[in-house]
Structures are given as C-alpha cells and as structure tokens.
C-alpha cells in the first residue's frame, strides 16, 4: 500500500523526500507527491499521477524547480478512491493552504464527511477519501488547535484504519504522524539535528538504525533532531528505540537484474536463517525457544487454524499439512479475510497461527485480533519484526529471510514453510506423536535442505525455453495433490501476479468435476508430480489432460523416466524425503513465472496493480 516518508532537519528536504520515497517504492504505487514548508513559511506541493513513472517524473520536476525547505512530507499512492491522476495524488492541502497531509488507509465515512465539509463551503480538489483529512485538520488548526491536536481531532471523526502525516505553516519546524488501527506502520528515528518518519524501516536506514515503532492510537511529532510520542489524550510516551536488523546494503540488487531474482537465489540462506538457533544438527534435536505455550498447553490443543493471505496463505496450507501429518492435531489453513468475518468457533484449545511476512496485512491482522478476543492462543510467523502482528500474537516465530523487496513473495514463503515445518516437529514431539529418533531423522533431512534447494535452483537453464512456450497461452492450469496442492496454487498465483496470465491452481482430483471442460490445445497445464504416494494418480491426471489435447509441463523427481513418456515437458527437481518435496517443487514454480514475466516484458519487481503490503481490506 501507500508509502510515506517525512523529514525535519537542517538540509533541503526536497531531494531527501524523493530518496525516501524511492526506498519505499517497492510497495507498489501509481502516484507520488511531496509537500515542503519553504523559506517563506509557505507550503509548496508537487505531485504526479503517472502510474509507474510518477516518482521519476516527480524527481525530474522538483529537480528542475527551485523548490526547497527544511521540513516536508512525501507519499507514494496506491489508488483506492479516485482514479490515478495528479489531483488525486497525495499530499492534499486545506483550502487556505496552511495544512498539508498524506494518508495511508481508507476513510470509510468519507462521503458523509465530504458532504458536511462541502456544505460548510470547503472546495474539494480531488475525488479521494483522504482529502477530507486535509480539511478536517485545516479547520482544527484554524480554530486554534496545535497541529498534533488537530490531527487527533480529525482522526477522531473518521471511521477506518489510518496512518496520517501532516505539516502546518503555523508550526513550520514540525511534522506530525498518527496511527489509528492497522493501515500500515509508522516508524521514526533521529540523528543529531535530523528526525525522520516513514511507513517502512528501510527508509530510515540512511539516517539511523535505531528506530521507534509507533503503535495504533499514538501520535508522534518530529522536529530537528527530536522525536516526541504521545497517546491520544496527550500524555507523553517514553519508548526506547530498538536497533533494527534490516540493512540498506541487503536491500540493493547486487549483481541481480531484479530483486525477485536475487531473492529467489537467496532461498538457501533464507532456509538456514529460519533454522538458526532452532535445529541442532549435531544432536539431531529441534526447539523453538520463541514459543510461549507450555508443554501442557501444546498437549491440550485440539485444533490448529493457520491463516494468511496470498502466498502466505499457501505457506499456511503447507503448515497445516505438515502439522496434521506429524502431530496428529486437526489442522487447516483459512484465508484471513474469510476467517475474520465468519465468527469462527475459537477457544483456549485452538491454536491460531498467522503467516504474514510484512506483519501488516489488514485482513490477517483483523483475523488475529478476532482470535485474541476469542481467547485462542496464537502465534505469528513473520519476517518484519516490530510490525503490528507481533503486538497481537502471544508469540512470534521470525522467519529471518532478510527483507524482501520484490512485491512477489519468494524467499519469505520458503522461510515461512521452514519455520512451520519446525513448529510441526515441536508440536509432534511435545505430544509424543513422534519420538526423538524420528525427530533426529527429520532434522538430519532438514540439514540437507539448503543444498537441495541450491541444486533445484540450478534448473534455471530448463526454464527459459519453457517460459517462452507458456508465454503464448492466455490460460494455464496448475495441478497438485496433498502437500503439493499449496505449491500448485502458489505457482498459479505467481504466474498471475508476474506474467499477468490467467492461471488457476486446482486439486488434481477435481478434474472430472468440471475442470475437464476447459482442457484443450489452448490451455497448458503445469503438474506437480514428484514421486510419492500420489504419483500414480498424478500420472493419470496427466494422461487425462493429454487425451483432450492439452499440453503438459510436469515437475518431477530427478531420475523419473516414466513421466517423460506422458508429459510434453519435464522439469526435474532433486530427489528428497517426501516431507521436503514441496520445497523442491516450489522453485520451478517461482522461476517459470519470473522468466515468463520477462518474456512478456513485465516488471517482476513491481507488478501492475499490486503492492508489497496490503494494509487495506
Ligand atoms: C505474493 O507474492 C504477494 N506478495 C501477496 O499475495 C502476499 O503474499 C500477500 O499480500 C500477503 O502478504 P503478507 O505475507 O505480508 O501478509
């Protein structure tokens, strides 16, 4: 969703605001803008609504201008209300130009507020919901409130999760930020006579690695070298900064053409990170020190519900599969936007496990809050420590993949799967569903995982030709069974989000129940068919597709000569224990979509219409 960056210091804020927005552009955006308070104490705003080229065009425009100022706010917009154009871009100003704001979130009651403001004589410049905030804050400042009081006043009138940053000519050295609910984070930092605020930690790294996360229902002021945090009643909040583990260098592409190719290649290290301090390969044991549940609690669990969105939901599905098969606790994965609204039956013996690399996905956070209010113990599997999800869950299982910049999740998925597999082993051993010898065998096989994935990455050569072939199709079908179903769904999602090709993931057993009607030479089918108990069934599915003129790409276990006789194309992945096969078959799914995107001239790091973190529902 929208990116935010604000600066209050002693240098010209204009180029620094552009750089700050560049560091959060991976979130996806279609517009960009900045407001600064110039040397005359006036607010100057420049913005562009030019889709992907907005930030570049804005940088060129400000570069050609004399715009300068020591305090300012910047915003990259991902349109929710109002089409993509310059006037709908943020920041938005009050009618008298004394206040400018940028906003992340949705003002759910904006029509009612807008009507009231228009009736009072306010003239709107845009079709956005966010602009009501500029006028509400402007009115409150005009009535004598400080900027901080005015932002609080405005936020109290709106419904919906929100993150706001604002500047005012009445207090020209100040930027105010406020969070209500979960609409993406606000993080602040300072260094000597500079203070900065952003939606993402990565934007603060050029200034400081000591950061403070603003929590919902808090407001923050930044001024030259000063950060002040308050609750909404105005009481000061003392919060020590934490040293972030994120680093700016790691966020660069290195010698990769795209962040996505870098992050696919980093998966062996991501798996190692997820096992660090947990799997003891010399003793063949496995612990998860972060789990706050007692052994008693783990033994009394009667159900595990995993939840997430998109790729994280697919990781959650893998988690459910391994948790149930190893620990014998009934486990299933559910889309968070469904779980949050269906009033599920949850209780003290239902473990809820959220999977969310950003820790800020609105639907996932809402499902987590529902689980907490229902009294269900819950944990969260995530990458971005300090995110909102860590403050809702009872325990956090960091996946330690390293920050992921590409919008498409790759290394965070495999790291989430690795973490969930370890959770499954710990639950199973605690409940004596498996013994220490069985744990040893699993840990031993996991020690091979990074090198197995590294060799699976070596298939890159086979992929290019196949990507050319798949790029010719408008419709693709992905089939899998058992633990391979989440991988088939993930393969279809990746092809959709990167190559913009319609791709459907399906349980292979569904073919005869309607899907067969789709088969024909105009649709190719990708089948995940490693050698396991369901292999013969998958061979039958391949034959069904072939019999109806469909073209088949099979993902198979190295050395499998049989499948060559039925599939048109075969991508081989390394042989490994069945438990680890999803880690192998995931790799060609990622590479196929990445390369097909390149064949079709798509931007794999910033796919159209998508954002890295979906902080609105
Ligand atoms: C997957 O490639 C997408 N980036 C998207 O589906 C993502 O997995 C989903 O939005 C959930 O994000 P989260 O893991 O940060 O909660």
């Amino acid at each position: 969703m929208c990116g935010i960056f604000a600066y209050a210091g002693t240098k010209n804020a204009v180029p620094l605001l552009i750089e700050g927005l560049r560091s959060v552009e991976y979130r996806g955006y279609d517009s960009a803008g900045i407001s600064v308070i110039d040397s005359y104490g006036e607010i100057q705003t420049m913005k562009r609504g030019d889709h992907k080229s907005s930030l570049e065009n804005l940088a060129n425009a400000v570069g050609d201008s004399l715009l300068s100022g020591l305090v300012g706010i910047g915003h990259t917009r991902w349109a929710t209300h109002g089409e993509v154009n310059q006037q709908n871009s943020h920041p938005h100003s009050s009618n008298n130009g004394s206040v400018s704001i940028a906003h992340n979130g949705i003002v759910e009651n904006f029509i009612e507020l807008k009507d009231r403001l228009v009736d009072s004589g306010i003239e709107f410049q845009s079709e956005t919901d966010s602009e009501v905030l500029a006028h509400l804050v402007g009115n409150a400042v005009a009535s004598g409130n400080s900027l901080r009081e005015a932002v609080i006043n405005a936020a109290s009138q709106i419904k919906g999760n929100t993150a706001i940053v604002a500047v005012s000519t009445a207090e020209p050295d100040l930027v105010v930020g406020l969070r209500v609910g979960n609409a993406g984070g606000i993080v602040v930092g300072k260094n000597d006579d500079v203070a900065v605020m952003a939606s993402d930690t990565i934007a603060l790294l050029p200034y400081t690695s000591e950061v403070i996360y603003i929590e919902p229902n808090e407001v923050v002021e930044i001024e030259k070298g000063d950060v002040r945090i308050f609750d909404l009643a105005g009481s000061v909040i003392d919060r020590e900064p934490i040293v972030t583990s994120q680093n700016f260098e790691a966020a660069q592409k290195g010698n990769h053409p795209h962040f996505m190719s870098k992050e696919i290649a980093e998966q062996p290290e991501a798996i190692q990170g997820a096992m660090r301090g947990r799997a003891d390969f010399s003793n063949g044991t496995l612990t998860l020190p972060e789990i706050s549940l007692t052994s008693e609690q783990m033994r009394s669990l009667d159900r595990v519900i995993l939840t997430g969105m998109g790729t994280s939901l697919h990781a959650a599905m893998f988690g459910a599969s391994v948790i149930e098969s190893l620990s014998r606790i009934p486990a299933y994965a559910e889309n968070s936007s469904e779980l949050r609204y269906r009033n599920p039956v949850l209780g003290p013996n239902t473990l809820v496990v959220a999977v969310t690399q950003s820790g800020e996905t609105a639907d996932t956070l809402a499902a987590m809050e529902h689980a907490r209010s229902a009294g269900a113990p819950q944990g969260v599997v995530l990458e971005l420590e300090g995110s909102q999800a860590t403050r809702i869950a009872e325990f956090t299982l960091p996946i330690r993949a390293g920050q992921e910049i590409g919008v498409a999740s790759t290394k965070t998925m495999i790291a989430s799967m690795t973490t969930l597999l370890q959770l499954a082993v710990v639950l199973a051993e605690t409940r004596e569903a498996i013994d220490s010898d069985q744990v040893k065998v699993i840990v031993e096989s996991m020690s091979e995982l990074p090198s197995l994935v590294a060799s699976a990455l070596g298939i890159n050569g086979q992929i290019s030709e196949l990507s050319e072939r798949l790029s010719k199709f408008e419709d693709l079908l992905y089939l899998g069974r058992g633990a391979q179903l989440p991988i088939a769904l993930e393969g279809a999602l990746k092809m959709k989000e990167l190559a913009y090709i319609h791709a459907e993931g399906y349980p292979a057993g569904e073919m005869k129940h309607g899907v067969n009607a789709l088969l024909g030479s105009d649709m190719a089918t990708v089948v995940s068919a490693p050698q396991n108990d369901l292999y013969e069934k998958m061979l039958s599915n391949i034959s069904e597709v072939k019999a109806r003129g469909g073209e088949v790409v099979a993902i198979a276990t190295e050395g499998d000569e049989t499948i060559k006789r039925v599939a048109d194309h075969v991508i081989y992945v390394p042989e490994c224990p069945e438990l680890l096969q999803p880690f192998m078959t995931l790799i060609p799914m990622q590479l196929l979509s990445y390369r097909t995107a390149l064949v079709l001239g798509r931007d794999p790091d910033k796919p159209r219409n998508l954002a890295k973190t979906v902080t609105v529902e």
Side-chain angles (χ1 to χ4, degrees), residues 481 506-519 541 544:
R481 287 177 186 260
Y506 248 99
E510 275 281 347
M511 292 302 290
K512 295 184 179 65
H513 303 276
V515 183
N516 276 358
L518 291 176
L519 298 179
N541 286 121
E544 266 180 75

Side-chain angles (χ1 to χ4, degrees), residues 25 28-33 47-58 76-79 82-86 89 606 608-609:
E25 69 174 317
Y29 65 97
D30 45 48
S31 324
K47 43 193 189 180
R48 291 288 181 274
D50 308 333
H51 293 275
K52 286 270 177 273
S53 44
S54 301
L55 193 48
E56 221 35 58
N57 294 350
L58 176 66
T76 50
R77 176 179 181 243
W78 190 83
E83 62 185 67
V84 176
N85 58 32
Q86 186 161 321
S89 310
K606 290 178 264 175
R608 69 182 181 191
N609 306 336

Side-chain angles (χ1 to χ4, degrees), residues 260-275:
M260 184 174 176
S261 53
K262 171 173 177 276
E263 289 149 8
I264 288 175
E266 288 174 340
Q267 293 184 107
E269 292 80 16
I271 291 169
Q272 284 166 337
M275 296 194 288

Side-chain angles (χ1 to χ4, degrees), residues 42 230 298 310 315 338 350 412 484 486 493 499 548 552 556 561 570:
E42 298 300 315
F230 306 85
M298 284 192 257
E338 290 299 310
T350 303
T412 55
Q484 293 297 327
L493 174 63
R548 291 159 181 81
V552 174
E561 294 298 317
V570 181

Side-chain angles (χ1 to χ4, degrees), residues 309-312 355-359 361 364 407-409 493-494 497 612 614:
M309 300 296 284
T311 291
S312 287
V355 183
T356 166
Q357 72 84 21
S358 64
T361 297
T364 307
V407 167
S409 303
L493 174 63
K494 282 285 165 293
E497 67 175 326
K612 182 65 181 172
V614 182

Side-chain angles (χ1 to χ4, degrees), residues 123-136:
E123 285 176 26
F124 274 73
Q125 310 299 319
S126 78
E127 309 152 331
T128 66
D129 56 329
S130 305
E131 189 184 347
V132 298
L133 284 162
H135 302 305
L136 293 174

